[in-house]
Amino acid sequence: MPSTPTLRTRADTSLPDRIALSAATTEGAHLRTADFAGWLAERGRAHTFEVERIPFAELDGWSFQETTGNLVHRSGRFFTVEGLHVTEEGEPHGDGPHADWYQPIIRQPEVGILGILVKEFDGVPHFLMQAKMEPGNPNLLQLSPTVQATRSNYTKAHKGADVKYIEYFVGPRRGRIVADVLQSEHGSWFHHKSNRNMVVEAVGDVPLLDDFCWLTLGQIAQLLHLDNVVNMDSRTVLSCLPFGDAWDGALLSDTELLSWITGERTRHCVRAERVPLDNLPGWKRRESTIEHETGRYFDVVAVSVRAGNREVTGWTQPLFEPVGPGVTAFLLREFGGVPHVLVHARVEAGFLDTVELGPTVQYTPDNYAHLPAGERPLFLDTVVRATPDRVRYEAVHSEEGGRFLNAVSRCLLVEADEADAPQDPPPGYAWVTPGQLTSLVRHGHYLNVQARTLLACLNATTVRAR
């Protein structure tokens, strides 16, 4: 059987050039950028969306197991909320003061598909995006990938309608592959969870269904500068696009960077043991929440949902709700005229491989407000106190609204100097070029989901600068 052709087989131009053309095109062939807000609002009016907090006792199909206290669905599908006991040995170097802790965790071993369909109009690649409601989104409706579905969704374990456009990503009708890589989800809240991030170019005509629109990368880049418009799943898929590597002169060669990552993974020893949710040390189960005794970190809550345009139009489910907004940021510097970002080799309990590259700063400040200045995370104060003239990008983005409630972070790209962030950074940190990040993200489990969001925002900032 012949292999599926890729975009690189085109003789007229290379794939990175076509991506760059779409990124430079700020008006689409189907929907003007100025008309997008009206289109999204109209899609919101076209359906009924309601989310209501409920006590755990009102969850339909969900219950706490008698033997473990784990929160499970009667079908045995979807996900479970369990306990996790985490111990870390090694030298954290700013990863936080705690090396032994307990927490609730989401266990969802199935791999979902996050997929964006691409098609050329007037010679410019356009991306098929969806106005999708998620119960945890602060504004409910955001711009999602063409397909955003767990395996339970697209195999119809929920007995609902078919997932629209799924045939372009699985099976014999699948189109030409642009990107296809397994990427991690939130390592702090998921246990060993990965999703398949895909970009596929359609072969032949594609029907345009309600709640979907074709946009260029340049249009999406403009939307990434708005608060809570482009959802997390779109951002992670967009980060996997094969932009051209325009950056030579990196402080670390590719080989040196890979060696540094390997060294970081070997110097940390993390043991994450699943334990019963019942009687989890430090956590209290109440009528409507599971919460930490200090009031920090996050709560487990329950909601009832109505969504007229989803495969199932009504359901109940648990969600994780952080106690406050987060801050996620890259510090930026140029060395020899070459842009670099400062990455952090971040340890999170749910990672498959101990360490993934995260942003310079990835924290919820409220969780550290009680600590003296010397124990606060490295570079956090540099970011939150940055003057406006140093902020190259700023927007508020929410995390995955299907599992997390009101989980928002202030995402920033902040220029630094030698006093803020030295060329020889502390252990656990390294300066890398955007091009090196683009190369790494084509492989699974190198960049965490927050770093992928910032890479998408960095690419959007570069597009705006052009």
Side-chain angles (χ1 to χ4, degrees), residues 39-70:
W39 176 84
L40 188 65
E42 189 278 329
R43 297 323 305 159
R45 292 190 296 268
H47 305 284
T48 299
F49 300 127
E50 294 179 6
V51 179
E52 178 186 4
R53 293 172 185 262
I54 58 174
F56 291 126
E58 294 182 16
L59 284 169
D60 181 17
W62 295 85
S63 61
F64 292 99
Q65 282 183 327
E66 290 186 8
T67 53
T68 65
N70 293 346

Side-chain angles (χ1 to χ4, degrees), residues 7 48 63 82 94 110 212 345 348 400 410 453 461:
L7 290 179
T48 299
S63 61
E82 305 179 2
E110 63 183 26
F212 292 82
E348 295 182 12
E400 208 279 308
R410 182 181 171 213
T453 276
T461 302

Side-chain angles (χ1 to χ4, degrees), residues 88-95 252 255-270 342-348 351-359 363 378 424-432 440 445-446:
E88 179 189 350
E89 299 175 3
E91 303 173 32
H93 291 304
D95 292 344
L252 296 177
T255 300
E256 289 171 332
L257 176 58
L258 289 171
S259 177
W260 176 78
I261 295 170
T262 302
E264 289 297 312
R265 286 176 168 172
T266 55
R267 78 177 178 87
H268 291 279
C269 179
V270 178
L342 186 61
V343 297
H344 180 198
R346 186 171 177 86
V347 176
E348 295 182 12
F351 285 157
L352 279 167
D353 203 358
T354 309
V355 162
E356 293 189 14
L357 299 189
Y363 300 105
L378 290 178
D424 184 13
Y429 293 82
W431 291 104
V432 303
L440 286 173
H445 305 290
Y446 277 100

Side-chain angles (χ1 to χ4, degrees), residues 295-410:
R296 292 192 286 270
Y297 312 121
F298 60 90
D299 297 340
V300 183
V301 301
V303 296
S304 174
V305 185
R306 290 182 61 199
N309 66 341
R310 292 290 296 264
E311 294 86 7
V312 173
T313 57
W315 71 93
T316 64
Q317 69 169 95
L319 291 170
F320 279 26
E321 183 178 29
V323 298
V327 174
T328 303
F330 273 144
L331 291 182
L332 313 176
R333 286 190 65 184
E334 286 192 1
F335 299 101
V338 178
H340 286 68
V341 301
L342 186 61
V343 297
H344 180 198
R346 186 171 177 86
V347 176
E348 295 182 12
F351 285 157
L352 279 167
D353 203 358
T354 309
V355 162
E356 293 189 14
L357 299 189
T360 319
V361 167
Q362 179 192 315
Y363 300 105
T364 300
D366 288 352
N367 289 335
Y368 299 90
H370 64 291
L371 295 176
E375 295 182 16
R376 287 167 60 81
L378 290 178
F379 304 111
L380 176 59
D381 291 337
T382 300
V383 167
V384 298
R385 297 173 183 170
T387 55
D389 60 302
R390 289 196 171 195
V391 178
R392 280 185 48 190
Y393 173 92
E394 180 176 6
V396 174
H397 292 304
S398 57
E399 305 302 335
E400 208 279 308
R403 297 292 178 266
F404 311 127
L405 179 63
N406 298 324
V408 298
S409 291
R410 182 181 171 213

Side-chain angles (χ1 to χ4, degrees), residues 66-297:
E66 290 186 8
T67 53
T68 65
N70 293 346
L71 189 51
V72 301
H73 194 266
R74 64 188 170 204
S75 67
R77 303 290 294 272
F78 304 110
F79 63 95
T80 61
V81 180
E82 305 179 2
L84 200 70
H85 178 208
V86 186
T87 56
E88 179 189 350
E89 299 175 3
E91 303 173 32
H93 291 304
D95 292 344
H98 302 292
D100 188 306
W101 73 92
Y102 292 84
Q103 66 169 87
I105 198 82
I106 298 172
R107 183 170 180 266
Q108 187 175 358
E110 63 183 26
V111 175
I113 290 179
L114 308 177
I116 297 179
L117 199 61
V118 184
K119 185 172 175 59
E120 249 184 37
F121 297 98
D122 298 335
V124 178
H126 286 59
F127 294 71
L128 187 60
M129 309 300 291
Q130 177 184 180
K132 188 178 183 69
M133 179 271 193
E134 293 287 359
N137 290 341
N139 52 352
L140 295 184
L141 199 67
Q142 294 189 18
L143 201 62
S144 85
T146 317
V147 167
Q148 178 183 318
T150 66
R151 187 172 183 84
S152 292
N153 289 144
Y154 67 80
T155 59
K156 302 176 69 171
H158 49 42
K159 312 294 185 187
D162 292 332
V163 173
K164 297 178 177 65
Y165 298 106
I166 187 66
E167 66 274 14
Y168 290 94
F169 298 89
V170 297
R173 289 188 58 185
R174 191 171 78 171
R176 300 183 179 117
I177 302 301
V178 176
D180 189 358
V181 59
L182 283 178
Q183 299 287 9
S184 62
E185 290 241 10
H186 294 75
S188 295
W189 294 332
F190 277 109
H191 185 256
H192 294 179
K193 176 72 170 72
S194 298
N195 274 326
R196 191 174 182 181
N197 287 232
M198 302 181 72
V199 181
V200 172
E201 187 176 36
V203 179
D205 294 333
V206 178
L208 183 61
L209 305 178
D210 289 342
D211 301 320
F212 292 82
C213 66
W214 292 103
L215 298 171
T216 68
L217 273 181
Q219 290 179 291
I220 297 171
Q222 294 182 69
L223 299 177
L224 275 167
H225 285 79
L226 305 177
D227 293 348
N228 293 319
V229 171
V230 180
N231 82 353
M232 187 212 79
D233 297 300
S234 295
R235 301 191 305 266
T236 180
V237 176
L238 292 168
S239 76
C240 298
L241 284 170
F243 282 89
D245 185 351
W247 312 111
D248 294 322
L251 286 179
L252 296 177
S253 70
D254 292 348
T255 300
E256 289 171 332
L257 176 58
L258 289 171
S259 177
W260 176 78
I261 295 170
T262 302
E264 289 297 312
R265 286 176 168 172
T266 55
R267 78 177 178 87
H268 291 279
C269 179
V270 178
R271 294 183 177 86
E273 177 188 5
R274 290 161 49 205
V275 296
L277 188 61
D278 256 358
N279 302 316
L280 199 63
W283 295 82
K284 306 296 181 184
R285 190 172 102 195
R286 308 191 189 284
E287 180 182 358
S288 301
T289 62
I290 300 172
E291 58 192 52
H292 195 265
E293 60 190 9
T294 63
R296 292 192 286 270
Y297 312 121

